[in-house]
């Protein structure tokens, strides 16, 4: 250290500059997720404007459309990278919460949009969105040193959560994902398969049980997520937590859209036309475009979360960690392919049919 005229010692200039740079870098990682999430609706708005531009200038419109939708998808990805940076620390729950919410921003934006529409927009959607993320940004940069233990309770609750999630997947979600894959063969094929499944999951005695299971998955998952965010995580657990945050809002929002908005509020059936935003579709409608990231990330995070849960169970039962990690990575890859295939079908791509 260098001695000042007063006889006190100060940090060398190079170290002070380094510390300032590190603090600024840390601040950037903290503030980036909520700021990017704040911009999410505007990226979708830019995509819609670009689609309109393709009618008069196809080349420029297409280029801008690809760039804007790429930005929209990049926002939760960058938020996850930031989340990973702080995952290993044993405090800083504020920044973890903010980053996890930013990962879930596509699901939150869709959920909020449906609710505000049902309430006849008591507040302007984008203004409310910007204000909310401004508050979350303050949470992200606020210091936090809280810690939460309670591993035994979390372990028991995790077992309950896992059993409920497995039941939901076997009883409904697995078939539901397969059903959406048939969209690659057209709406008629999707409807035919859906009608077969509805004999089971819409039976008078089955549907209420499924709803209760899904709500229980959300409730137990929320508690586990809260505990996980307040403890250190490795990369796989960070993905489990981030995907859980997304699924929490996706599940609640999806159930609200189906059971309350569509079936009760509008009195319509939730079939292929409803899912794909017919007649305008997902791509050509300013509101519906939010459903594209919402759906594809929902499917990806659902399958990734299930695979991550299986990885934890396998490790606890003595399986080699390296093999479990490889299984999780391969599973995430397949999840991405399935999610992309479903989105392509919903956007009009046809593989098995000329329809």
């Amino acid at each position: 250290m260098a001695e000042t005229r007063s006889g006190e010692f100060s940090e060398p200039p190079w170290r002070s500059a380094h510390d300032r740079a590190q603090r600024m870098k840390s601040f950037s990682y903290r503030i980036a997720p909520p700021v990017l999430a704040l911009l999410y609706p505007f990226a979708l708005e830019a995509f819609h404007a670009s689609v309109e531009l393709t009618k008069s200038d196809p080349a420029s419109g297409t280029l801008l459309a690809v760039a804007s939708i790429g930005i929209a998808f990049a926002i939760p990805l960058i938020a996850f990278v930031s989340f990973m940076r702080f995952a290993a620390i044993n405090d800083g729950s504020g920044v973890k919460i903010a980053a996890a919410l930013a990962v879930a921003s596509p699901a939150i934006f869709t959920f909020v949009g449906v609710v505000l529409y049902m309430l006849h927009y008591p507040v302007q959607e984008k203004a409310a969105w910007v204000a909310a993320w401004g508050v979350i940004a303050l949470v992200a940069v606020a210091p936090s040193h809280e810690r939460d233990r309670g591993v035994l309770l979390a372990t028991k609750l995790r077992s309950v959560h896992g059993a409920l999630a497995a039941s939901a997947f076997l009883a409904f979600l697995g078939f539901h994902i397969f059903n959406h894959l048939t969209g690659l063969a057209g709406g008629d094929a999707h409807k035919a398969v859906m009608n077969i499944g509805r004999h089971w999951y819409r039976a008078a005695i089955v549907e209420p049980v499924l709803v209760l299971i899904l709500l229980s998955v959300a409730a137990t998952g929320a508690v586990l997520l809260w505990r996980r965010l307040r403890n250190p995580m490795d990369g796989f657990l960070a993905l489990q937590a981030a995907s859980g945050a997304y699924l929490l809002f996706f599940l609640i929002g999806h159930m609200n859209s189906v059971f309350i908005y569509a079936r009760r509020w509008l009195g319509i059936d939730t079939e292929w036309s409803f899912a794909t935003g017919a007649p305008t579709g997902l791509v050509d409608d300013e509101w519906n475009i939010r459903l594209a990231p919402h759906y594809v990330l929902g499917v990806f995070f659902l399958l990734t979360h299930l695979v991550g849960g299986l990885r934890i169970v396998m490790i606890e039962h003595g399986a080699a960690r390296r093999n479990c990690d490889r299984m999780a990575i391969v599973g995430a890859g397949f999840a991405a392919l399935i999610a992309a295939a479903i989105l392509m079908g919903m956007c009009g791509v046809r593989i098995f049919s000329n329809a």
Side-chain angles (χ1 to χ4, degrees):
M1 292 188 292
E3 186 176 1
T4 64
R5 291 184 178 180
S6 62
E8 298 176 351
F9 289 92
S10 63
E11 293 290 337
W14 63 266
R15 182 173 295 177
S16 298
H18 175 74
D19 290 344
R20 285 196 299 271
Q22 288 298 107
R23 286 195 296 270
M24 182 58 68
K25 185 176 181 180
S26 177
F27 178 82
S28 299
Y29 274 101
R30 286 173 175 269
I31 201 70
V35 169
L36 289 172
L38 181 151
L39 298 174
Y40 178 74
F42 302 99
L44 297 180
E45 187 177 24
F47 174 81
H48 178 70
S50 301
V51 171
E52 291 297 310
L53 180 61
T54 59
K55 298 174 183 178
S56 58
D57 187 349
S60 299
T62 300
L63 181 62
L64 291 173
V66 171
S68 54
I69 199 65
I71 291 172
F73 275 99
I75 286 172
L77 176 61
I78 296 173
F80 177 68
V81 171
S82 181
F83 182 76
M84 286 278 290
R85 177 178 176 81
F86 294 98
I89 61 177
N90 202 31
D91 53 25
S93 57
V95 68
K96 291 179 185 177
I97 291 170
L101 288 174
V103 172
S105 56
I108 297 173
F109 186 57
T110 300
F111 180 34
V112 169
V114 173
V115 172
L116 289 179
Y117 180 81
M118 293 173 64
L119 296 175
H120 304 288
Y121 291 104
V123 295
Q124 206 279 332
E125 184 180 36
K126 289 188 177 67
W129 183 262
V130 170
W133 283 103
V135 174
I136 295 172
L138 296 178
V139 173
V141 298
S144 175
H145 302 286
E146 298 180 5
R147 299 182 182 183
D148 191 15
R149 298 292 179 181
V151 176
L152 182 60
L153 175 61
T155 300
K156 292 180 178 178
L157 187 62
R158 191 179 65 204
S159 298
V160 173
H161 177 74
L164 289 169
S167 300
F169 183 79
L170 293 174
F172 171 66
L173 294 175
F175 176 84
H176 191 58
I177 291 173
F178 169 75
N179 192 181
H180 275 297
L181 280 171
T182 62
L184 288 167
D188 291 340
H190 178 275
K191 184 176 181 179
V193 174
M194 180 185 67
N195 287 336
I196 295 173
R198 282 184 172 182
H199 288 296
W200 158 250
Y201 61 76
R202 282 208 176 179
I205 195 173
V206 174
E207 187 174 54
V209 175
L210 283 175
V211 170
L212 180 60
I213 290 174
L214 291 171
L215 290 175
S216 299
V217 168
T220 54
V223 176
L224 289 171
L225 176 63
W226 178 250
R227 287 187 171 275
R228 176 51 60 193
L229 290 175
R230 295 157 69 93
N231 283 278
M233 295 169 273
D234 62 16
F236 287 99
L237 289 178
L239 178 57
Q240 193 73 357
S243 60
Y246 190 98
L247 291 173
L248 178 62
F249 290 97
F250 180 83
L251 181 59
I252 295 173
H254 201 59
M255 294 180 71
N256 172 69
S257 295
V258 170
F259 291 103
I260 299 177
Y261 172 63
R263 290 167 63 173
R264 302 296 180 187
W265 203 72
L266 293 179
I268 62 174
D269 191 16
T270 53
E271 35 76 66
W272 181 251
S273 297
F274 174 78
T276 57
T280 54
L282 300 184
V283 175
D284 292 329
D285 186 85
E286 184 176 7
W287 198 99
N288 289 346
I289 183 55
R290 74 182 69 194
L291 297 176
H294 172 74
Y295 282 141
V296 71
L297 291 175
V299 174
F300 171 73
F301 280 132
L302 170 63
L303 296 176
T304 301
H305 195 75
L306 289 170
V307 171
L310 177 61
R311 170 186 171 272
I312 293 173
V313 172
M314 291 173 62
I315 291 174
E316 290 179 345
H317 284 77
R321 182 178 292 270
R322 178 178 295 181
N323 293 335
C324 295
D325 292 349
R326 289 174 178 171
M327 180 274 299
I329 293 171
V330 172
F334 276 108
L337 292 175
I338 292 171
I342 288 175
L343 181 61
M344 287 190 295
M346 298 183 77
C347 291
V349 175
R350 297 292 175 262
I351 295 179
F352 307 110
S353 171
N354 293 324

mmCIF file of all heavy atoms in Angstrom, residues 20-58:
data_model
loop_
_atom_site.group_PDB
_atom_site.id
_atom_site.type_symbol
_atom_site.label_atom_id
_atom_site.label_comp_id
_atom_site.label_asym_id
_atom_site.label_seq_id
_atom_site.Cartn_x
_atom_site.Cartn_y
_atom_site.Cartn_z
ATOM 1 N N ARG A 20 -12.966 -1.201 -8.342
ATOM 2 C CA ARG A 20 -14.085 -0.464 -8.925
ATOM 3 C C ARG A 20 -14.638 -1.188 -10.144
ATOM 4 O O ARG A 20 -15.854 -1.266 -10.344
ATOM 5 C CB ARG A 20 -13.638 0.950 -9.313
ATOM 6 C CG ARG A 20 -13.463 1.897 -8.135
ATOM 7 C CD ARG A 20 -13.410 3.338 -8.611
ATOM 8 N NE ARG A 20 -12.288 3.573 -9.508
ATOM 9 C CZ ARG A 20 -11.072 3.944 -9.113
ATOM 10 N NH1 ARG A 20 -10.825 4.116 -7.818
ATOM 11 N NH2 ARG A 20 -10.107 4.148 -9.987
ATOM 12 N N ALA A 21 -13.748 -1.733 -10.945
ATOM 13 C CA ALA A 21 -14.184 -2.474 -12.131
ATOM 14 C C ALA A 21 -14.977 -3.718 -11.734
ATOM 15 O O ALA A 21 -15.994 -4.046 -12.351
ATOM 16 C CB ALA A 21 -12.976 -2.863 -12.980
ATOM 17 N N GLN A 22 -14.515 -4.401 -10.672
ATOM 18 C CA GLN A 22 -15.216 -5.596 -10.218
ATOM 19 C C GLN A 22 -16.591 -5.248 -9.660
ATOM 20 O O GLN A 22 -17.567 -5.955 -9.902
ATOM 21 C CB GLN A 22 -14.390 -6.323 -9.152
ATOM 22 C CG GLN A 22 -13.154 -7.023 -9.697
ATOM 23 C CD GLN A 22 -13.524 -8.106 -10.696
ATOM 24 O OE1 GLN A 22 -13.324 -7.958 -11.898
ATOM 25 N NE2 GLN A 22 -14.089 -9.188 -10.206
ATOM 26 N N ARG A 23 -16.651 -4.139 -8.905
ATOM 27 C CA ARG A 23 -17.945 -3.724 -8.368
ATOM 28 C C ARG A 23 -18.901 -3.341 -9.491
ATOM 29 O O ARG A 23 -20.093 -3.654 -9.445
ATOM 30 C CB ARG A 23 -17.756 -2.554 -7.404
ATOM 31 C CG ARG A 23 -17.156 -2.941 -6.060
ATOM 32 C CD ARG A 23 -17.337 -1.821 -5.049
ATOM 33 N NE ARG A 23 -16.617 -0.618 -5.423
ATOM 34 C CZ ARG A 23 -15.367 -0.349 -5.070
ATOM 35 N NH1 ARG A 23 -14.692 -1.222 -4.322
ATOM 36 N NH2 ARG A 23 -14.780 0.771 -5.439
ATOM 37 N N MET A 24 -18.372 -2.651 -10.497
ATOM 38 C CA MET A 24 -19.214 -2.265 -11.624
ATOM 39 C C MET A 24 -19.683 -3.494 -12.397
ATOM 40 O O MET A 24 -20.837 -3.572 -12.830
ATOM 41 C CB MET A 24 -18.446 -1.322 -12.549
ATOM 42 C CG MET A 24 -19.267 -0.824 -13.743
ATOM 43 S SD MET A 24 -20.781 0.048 -13.236
ATOM 44 C CE MET A 24 -20.049 1.507 -12.490
ATOM 45 N N LYS A 25 -18.786 -4.480 -12.543
ATOM 46 C CA LYS A 25 -19.154 -5.708 -13.237
ATOM 47 C C LYS A 25 -20.239 -6.450 -12.464
ATOM 48 O O LYS A 25 -21.212 -6.950 -13.042
ATOM 49 C CB LYS A 25 -17.922 -6.597 -13.412
ATOM 50 C CG LYS A 25 -18.177 -7.851 -14.240
ATOM 51 C CD LYS A 25 -16.885 -8.630 -14.439
ATOM 52 C CE LYS A 25 -17.117 -9.870 -15.292
ATOM 53 N NZ LYS A 25 -15.862 -10.641 -15.487
ATOM 54 N N SER A 26 -20.081 -6.522 -11.137
ATOM 55 C CA SER A 26 -21.088 -7.167 -10.306
ATOM 56 C C SER A 26 -22.419 -6.429 -10.400
ATOM 57 O O SER A 26 -23.485 -7.045 -10.498
ATOM 58 C CB SER A 26 -20.618 -7.215 -8.852
ATOM 59 O OG SER A 26 -21.609 -7.764 -8.021
ATOM 60 N N PHE A 27 -22.359 -5.098 -10.381
ATOM 61 C CA PHE A 27 -23.580 -4.298 -10.500
ATOM 62 C C PHE A 27 -24.258 -4.559 -11.839
ATOM 63 O O PHE A 27 -25.485 -4.673 -11.915
ATOM 64 C CB PHE A 27 -23.237 -2.815 -10.354
ATOM 65 C CG PHE A 27 -24.429 -1.906 -10.501
ATOM 66 C CD1 PHE A 27 -25.283 -1.686 -9.427
ATOM 67 C CD2 PHE A 27 -24.697 -1.283 -11.711
ATOM 68 C CE1 PHE A 27 -26.388 -0.850 -9.560
ATOM 69 C CE2 PHE A 27 -25.796 -0.449 -11.856
ATOM 70 C CZ PHE A 27 -26.638 -0.235 -10.775
ATOM 71 N N SER A 28 -23.462 -4.682 -12.898
ATOM 72 C CA SER A 28 -24.024 -4.929 -14.226
ATOM 73 C C SER A 28 -24.744 -6.265 -14.275
ATOM 74 O O SER A 28 -25.838 -6.377 -14.841
ATOM 75 C CB SER A 28 -22.912 -4.890 -15.280
ATOM 76 O OG SER A 28 -22.285 -3.629 -15.302
ATOM 77 N N TYR A 29 -24.126 -7.291 -13.680
ATOM 78 C CA TYR A 29 -24.774 -8.598 -13.648
ATOM 79 C C TYR A 29 -26.059 -8.556 -12.830
ATOM 80 O O TYR A 29 -27.029 -9.252 -13.137
ATOM 81 C CB TYR A 29 -23.824 -9.648 -13.062
ATOM 82 C CG TYR A 29 -22.903 -10.273 -14.081
ATOM 83 C CD1 TYR A 29 -21.578 -9.867 -14.190
ATOM 84 C CD2 TYR A 29 -23.353 -11.273 -14.931
ATOM 85 C CE1 TYR A 29 -20.725 -10.439 -15.122
ATOM 86 C CE2 TYR A 29 -22.514 -11.854 -15.865
ATOM 87 C CZ TYR A 29 -21.194 -11.434 -15.957
ATOM 88 O OH TYR A 29 -20.363 -12.001 -16.880
ATOM 89 N N ARG A 30 -26.066 -7.757 -11.774
ATOM 90 C CA ARG A 30 -27.249 -7.659 -10.929
ATOM 91 C C ARG A 30 -28.392 -6.934 -11.636
ATOM 92 O O ARG A 30 -29.547 -7.349 -11.576
ATOM 93 C CB ARG A 30 -26.908 -6.915 -9.627
ATOM 94 C CG ARG A 30 -26.091 -7.715 -8.637
ATOM 95 C CD ARG A 30 -25.655 -6.855 -7.461
ATOM 96 N NE ARG A 30 -24.975 -7.644 -6.447
ATOM 97 C CZ ARG A 30 -25.576 -8.225 -5.414
ATOM 98 N NH1 ARG A 30 -26.881 -8.084 -5.261
ATOM 99 N NH2 ARG A 30 -24.898 -8.932 -4.541
ATOM 100 N N ILE A 31 -28.059 -5.841 -12.296
ATOM 101 C CA ILE A 31 -29.096 -4.985 -12.865
ATOM 102 C C ILE A 31 -29.556 -5.461 -14.240
ATOM 103 O O ILE A 31 -30.667 -5.137 -14.683
ATOM 104 C CB ILE A 31 -28.589 -3.523 -12.953
ATOM 105 C CG1 ILE A 31 -29.763 -2.542 -13.032
ATOM 106 C CG2 ILE A 31 -27.640 -3.343 -14.128
ATOM 107 C CD1 ILE A 31 -30.555 -2.436 -11.764
ATOM 108 N N ALA A 32 -28.721 -6.242 -14.931
ATOM 109 C CA ALA A 32 -29.039 -6.637 -16.306
ATOM 110 C C ALA A 32 -30.347 -7.415 -16.431
ATOM 111 O O ALA A 32 -31.172 -7.096 -17.306
ATOM 112 C CB ALA A 32 -27.880 -7.434 -16.900
ATOM 113 N N PRO A 33 -30.603 -8.454 -15.606
ATOM 114 C CA PRO A 33 -31.839 -9.225 -15.807
ATOM 115 C C PRO A 33 -33.119 -8.401 -15.721
ATOM 116 O O PRO A 33 -33.952 -8.477 -16.637
ATOM 117 C CB PRO A 33 -31.758 -10.296 -14.705
ATOM 118 C CG PRO A 33 -30.303 -10.456 -14.443
ATOM 119 C CD PRO A 33 -29.735 -9.079 -14.584
ATOM 120 N N PRO A 34 -33.332 -7.595 -14.658
ATOM 121 C CA PRO A 34 -34.584 -6.827 -14.634
ATOM 122 C C PRO A 34 -34.671 -5.767 -15.726
ATOM 123 O O PRO A 34 -35.765 -5.509 -16.250
ATOM 124 C CB PRO A 34 -34.592 -6.190 -13.232
ATOM 125 C CG PRO A 34 -33.189 -6.237 -12.769
ATOM 126 C CD PRO A 34 -32.587 -7.449 -13.390
ATOM 127 N N VAL A 35 -33.541 -5.167 -16.090
ATOM 128 C CA VAL A 35 -33.574 -4.162 -17.155
ATOM 129 C C VAL A 35 -33.932 -4.814 -18.488
ATOM 130 O O VAL A 35 -34.750 -4.291 -19.261
ATOM 131 C CB VAL A 35 -32.220 -3.427 -17.252
ATOM 132 C CG1 VAL A 35 -32.159 -2.576 -18.516
ATOM 133 C CG2 VAL A 35 -32.010 -2.553 -16.022
ATOM 134 N N LEU A 36 -33.346 -5.964 -18.765
ATOM 135 C CA LEU A 36 -33.664 -6.667 -20.004
ATOM 136 C C LEU A 36 -35.111 -7.147 -20.008
ATOM 137 O O LEU A 36 -35.798 -7.066 -21.034
ATOM 138 C CB LEU A 36 -32.710 -7.847 -20.189
ATOM 139 C CG LEU A 36 -31.269 -7.482 -20.541
ATOM 140 C CD1 LEU A 36 -30.384 -8.720 -20.515
ATOM 141 C CD2 LEU A 36 -31.201 -6.811 -21.906
ATOM 142 N N ALA A 37 -35.576 -7.665 -18.873
ATOM 143 C CA ALA A 37 -36.971 -8.100 -18.788
ATOM 144 C C ALA A 37 -37.918 -6.929 -19.015
ATOM 145 O O ALA A 37 -38.979 -7.080 -19.630
ATOM 146 C CB ALA A 37 -37.234 -8.740 -17.429
ATOM 147 N N LEU A 38 -37.539 -5.762 -18.535
ATOM 148 C CA LEU A 38 -38.330 -4.549 -18.760
ATOM 149 C C LEU A 38 -38.505 -4.286 -20.257
ATOM 150 O O LEU A 38 -39.554 -3.811 -20.702
ATOM 151 C CB LEU A 38 -37.641 -3.375 -18.072
ATOM 152 C CG LEU A 38 -38.268 -1.989 -18.120
ATOM 153 C CD1 LEU A 38 -37.872 -1.206 -16.872
ATOM 154 C CD2 LEU A 38 -37.815 -1.207 -19.354
ATOM 155 N N LEU A 39 -37.481 -4.619 -21.048
ATOM 156 C CA LEU A 39 -37.514 -4.356 -22.488
ATOM 157 C C LEU A 39 -38.220 -5.452 -23.285
ATOM 158 O O LEU A 39 -38.432 -5.292 -24.493
ATOM 159 C CB LEU A 39 -36.076 -4.208 -23.009
ATOM 160 C CG LEU A 39 -35.263 -3.047 -22.417
ATOM 161 C CD1 LEU A 39 -33.826 -3.112 -22.914
ATOM 162 C CD2 LEU A 39 -35.894 -1.711 -22.768
ATOM 163 N N TYR A 40 -38.580 -6.556 -22.632
ATOM 164 C CA TYR A 40 -39.144 -7.704 -23.338
ATOM 165 C C TYR A 40 -40.373 -7.357 -24.195
ATOM 166 O O TYR A 40 -40.431 -7.736 -25.376
ATOM 167 C CB TYR A 40 -39.480 -8.808 -22.330
ATOM 168 C CG TYR A 40 -40.111 -10.028 -22.929
ATOM 169 C CD1 TYR A 40 -39.356 -10.939 -23.669
ATOM 170 C CD2 TYR A 40 -41.473 -10.286 -22.766
ATOM 171 C CE1 TYR A 40 -39.937 -12.066 -24.230
ATOM 172 C CE2 TYR A 40 -42.057 -11.409 -23.317
ATOM 173 C CZ TYR A 40 -41.293 -12.294 -24.048
ATOM 174 O OH TYR A 40 -41.878 -13.405 -24.603
ATOM 175 N N PRO A 41 -41.367 -6.638 -23.667
ATOM 176 C CA PRO A 41 -42.534 -6.318 -24.514
ATOM 177 C C PRO A 41 -42.176 -5.489 -25.739
ATOM 178 O O PRO A 41 -42.810 -5.620 -26.792
ATOM 179 C CB PRO A 41 -43.454 -5.530 -23.573
ATOM 180 C CG PRO A 41 -42.990 -5.855 -22.206
ATOM 181 C CD PRO A 41 -41.519 -6.092 -22.308
ATOM 182 N N PHE A 42 -41.156 -4.661 -25.606
ATOM 183 C CA PHE A 42 -40.776 -3.794 -26.720
ATOM 184 C C PHE A 42 -40.068 -4.583 -27.824
ATOM 185 O O PHE A 42 -40.157 -4.226 -28.998
ATOM 186 C CB PHE A 42 -39.909 -2.652 -26.202
ATOM 187 C CG PHE A 42 -40.595 -1.828 -25.147
ATOM 188 C CD1 PHE A 42 -40.338 -2.044 -23.799
ATOM 189 C CD2 PHE A 42 -41.539 -0.872 -25.501
ATOM 190 C CE1 PHE A 42 -40.987 -1.309 -22.822
ATOM 191 C CE2 PHE A 42 -42.196 -0.127 -24.525
ATOM 192 C CZ PHE A 42 -41.922 -0.349 -23.185
ATOM 193 N N ALA A 43 -39.380 -5.660 -27.436
ATOM 194 C CA ALA A 43 -38.790 -6.544 -28.445
ATOM 195 C C ALA A 43 -39.888 -7.234 -29.250
ATOM 196 O O ALA A 43 -39.790 -7.364 -30.482
ATOM 197 C CB ALA A 43 -37.884 -7.577 -27.776
ATOM 198 N N LEU A 44 -40.947 -7.665 -28.568
ATOM 199 C CA LEU A 44 -42.073 -8.278 -29.273
ATOM 200 C C LEU A 44 -42.799 -7.263 -30.147
ATOM 201 O O LEU A 44 -43.239 -7.584 -31.260
ATOM 202 C CB LEU A 44 -43.046 -8.887 -28.258
ATOM 203 C CG LEU A 44 -42.508 -10.030 -27.393
ATOM 204 C CD1 LEU A 44 -43.590 -10.513 -26.439
ATOM 205 C CD2 LEU A 44 -42.000 -11.181 -28.253
ATOM 206 N N GLU A 45 -42.920 -6.044 -29.653
ATOM 207 C CA GLU A 45 -43.546 -4.981 -30.439
ATOM 208 C C GLU A 45 -42.726 -4.696 -31.700
ATOM 209 O O GLU A 45 -43.287 -4.483 -32.787
ATOM 210 C CB GLU A 45 -43.670 -3.721 -29.584
ATOM 211 C CG GLU A 45 -44.448 -2.597 -30.239
ATOM 212 C CD GLU A 45 -44.606 -1.398 -29.320
ATOM 213 O OE1 GLU A 45 -43.779 -1.231 -28.394
ATOM 214 O OE2 GLU A 45 -45.556 -0.625 -29.521
ATOM 215 N N ALA A 46 -41.408 -4.715 -31.554
ATOM 216 C CA ALA A 46 -40.537 -4.503 -32.712
ATOM 217 C C ALA A 46 -40.685 -5.641 -33.714
ATOM 218 O O ALA A 46 -40.645 -5.421 -34.937
ATOM 219 C CB ALA A 46 -39.086 -4.383 -32.254
ATOM 220 N N PHE A 47 -40.868 -6.862 -33.215
ATOM 221 C CA PHE A 47 -41.073 -7.997 -34.120
ATOM 222 C C PHE A 47 -42.343 -7.806 -34.937
ATOM 223 O O PHE A 47 -42.351 -8.029 -36.154
ATOM 224 C CB PHE A 47 -41.153 -9.299 -33.326
ATOM 225 C CG PHE A 47 -41.502 -10.492 -34.173
ATOM 226 C CD1 PHE A 47 -40.526 -11.137 -34.914
ATOM 227 C CD2 PHE A 47 -42.807 -10.963 -34.242
ATOM 228 C CE1 PHE A 47 -40.838 -12.229 -35.714
ATOM 229 C CE2 PHE A 47 -43.138 -12.051 -35.033
ATOM 230 C CZ PHE A 47 -42.145 -12.686 -35.768
ATOM 231 N N HIS A 48 -43.418 -7.405 -34.274
ATOM 232 C CA HIS A 48 -44.676 -7.207 -35.000
ATOM 233 C C HIS A 48 -44.532 -6.115 -36.055
ATOM 234 O O HIS A 48 -45.013 -6.263 -37.188
ATOM 235 C CB HIS A 48 -45.792 -6.847 -34.023
ATOM 236 C CG HIS A 48 -47.102 -6.571 -34.694
ATOM 237 N ND1 HIS A 48 -47.851 -7.558 -35.295
ATOM 238 C CD2 HIS A 48 -47.787 -5.403 -34.889
ATOM 239 C CE1 HIS A 48 -48.943 -7.030 -35.816
ATOM 240 N NE2 HIS A 48 -48.926 -5.724 -35.589
ATOM 241 N N ALA A 49 -43.854 -5.029 -35.696
ATOM 242 C CA ALA A 49 -43.633 -3.953 -36.669
ATOM 243 C C ALA A 49 -42.795 -4.455 -37.841
ATOM 244 O O ALA A 49 -43.028 -4.064 -39.000
ATOM 245 C CB ALA A 49 -42.948 -2.774 -35.987
ATOM 246 N N SER A 50 -41.844 -5.335 -37.563
ATOM 247 C CA SER A 50 -40.999 -5.887 -38.628
ATOM 248 C C SER A 50 -41.802 -6.788 -39.555
ATOM 249 O O SER A 50 -41.595 -6.786 -40.776
ATOM 250 C CB SER A 50 -39.837 -6.672 -38.014
ATOM 251 O OG SER A 50 -39.056 -5.846 -37.174
ATOM 252 N N VAL A 51 -42.722 -7.565 -38.971
ATOM 253 C CA VAL A 51 -43.586 -8.415 -39.796
ATOM 254 C C VAL A 51 -44.439 -7.558 -40.724
ATOM 255 O O VAL A 51 -44.636 -7.888 -41.905
ATOM 256 C CB VAL A 51 -44.469 -9.310 -38.904
ATOM 257 C CG1 VAL A 51 -45.530 -10.029 -39.739
ATOM 258 C CG2 VAL A 51 -43.611 -10.325 -38.161
ATOM 259 N N GLU A 52 -44.945 -6.452 -40.205
ATOM 260 C CA GLU A 52 -45.717 -5.538 -41.047
ATOM 261 C C GLU A 52 -44.843 -4.941 -42.148
ATOM 262 O O GLU A 52 -45.291 -4.732 -43.277
ATOM 263 C CB GLU A 52 -46.313 -4.420 -40.183
ATOM 264 C CG GLU A 52 -47.396 -4.887 -39.232
ATOM 265 C CD GLU A 52 -48.600 -5.442 -39.964
ATOM 266 O OE1 GLU A 52 -49.102 -4.769 -40.887
ATOM 267 O OE2 GLU A 52 -49.033 -6.567 -39.628
ATOM 268 N N LEU A 53 -43.568 -4.687 -41.818
ATOM 269 C CA LEU A 53 -42.647 -4.108 -42.794
ATOM 270 C C LEU A 53 -42.367 -5.068 -43.944
ATOM 271 O O LEU A 53 -42.114 -4.629 -45.077
ATOM 272 C CB LEU A 53 -41.334 -3.724 -42.102
ATOM 273 C CG LEU A 53 -40.239 -3.104 -42.980
ATOM 274 C CD1 LEU A 53 -40.722 -1.798 -43.608
ATOM 275 C CD2 LEU A 53 -38.972 -2.876 -42.161
ATOM 276 N N THR A 54 -42.427 -6.378 -43.676
ATOM 277 C CA THR A 54 -42.151 -7.352 -44.739
ATOM 278 C C THR A 54 -43.136 -7.239 -45.900
ATOM 279 O O THR A 54 -42.832 -7.670 -47.017
ATOM 280 C CB THR A 54 -42.201 -8.792 -44.188
ATOM 281 O OG1 THR A 54 -43.496 -9.040 -43.622
ATOM 282 C CG2 THR A 54 -41.130 -9.015 -43.135
ATOM 283 N N LYS A 55 -44.303 -6.656 -45.651
ATOM 284 C CA LYS A 55 -45.298 -6.517 -46.718
ATOM 285 C C LYS A 55 -44.859 -5.505 -47.771
ATOM 286 O O LYS A 55 -45.246 -5.608 -48.939
ATOM 287 C CB LYS A 55 -46.638 -6.105 -46.114
ATOM 288 C CG LYS A 55 -47.202 -7.138 -45.136
ATOM 289 C CD LYS A 55 -48.461 -6.635 -44.449
ATOM 290 C CE LYS A 55 -48.965 -7.659 -43.431
ATOM 291 N NZ LYS A 55 -50.174 -7.178 -42.699
ATOM 292 N N SER A 56 -44.049 -4.530 -47.350
ATOM 293 C CA SER A 56 -43.563 -3.524 -48.297
ATOM 294 C C SER A 56 -42.079 -3.675 -48.604
ATOM 295 O O SER A 56 -41.619 -3.305 -49.682
ATOM 296 C CB SER A 56 -43.824 -2.116 -47.749
ATOM 297 O OG SER A 56 -43.196 -1.946 -46.483
ATOM 298 N N ASP A 57 -41.326 -4.213 -47.652
ATOM 299 C CA ASP A 57 -39.883 -4.392 -47.825
ATOM 300 C C ASP A 57 -39.496 -5.741 -47.223
ATOM 301 O O ASP A 57 -39.054 -5.815 -46.071
ATOM 302 C CB ASP A 57 -39.132 -3.250 -47.138
ATOM 303 C CG ASP A 57 -37.635 -3.270 -47.429
ATOM 304 O OD1 ASP A 57 -37.148 -4.274 -47.996
ATOM 305 O OD2 ASP A 57 -36.945 -2.293 -47.069
ATOM 306 N N PRO A 58 -39.669 -6.825 -47.979
ATOM 307 C CA PRO A 58 -39.454 -8.172 -47.427
ATOM 308 C C PRO A 58 -38.063 -8.384 -46.837
ATOM 309 O O PRO A 58 -37.933 -8.987 -45.764
ATOM 310 C CB PRO A 58 -39.688 -9.085 -48.639
ATOM 311 C CG PRO A 58 -40.565 -8.295 -49.546
ATOM 312 C CD PRO A 58 -40.140 -6.870 -49.372
#
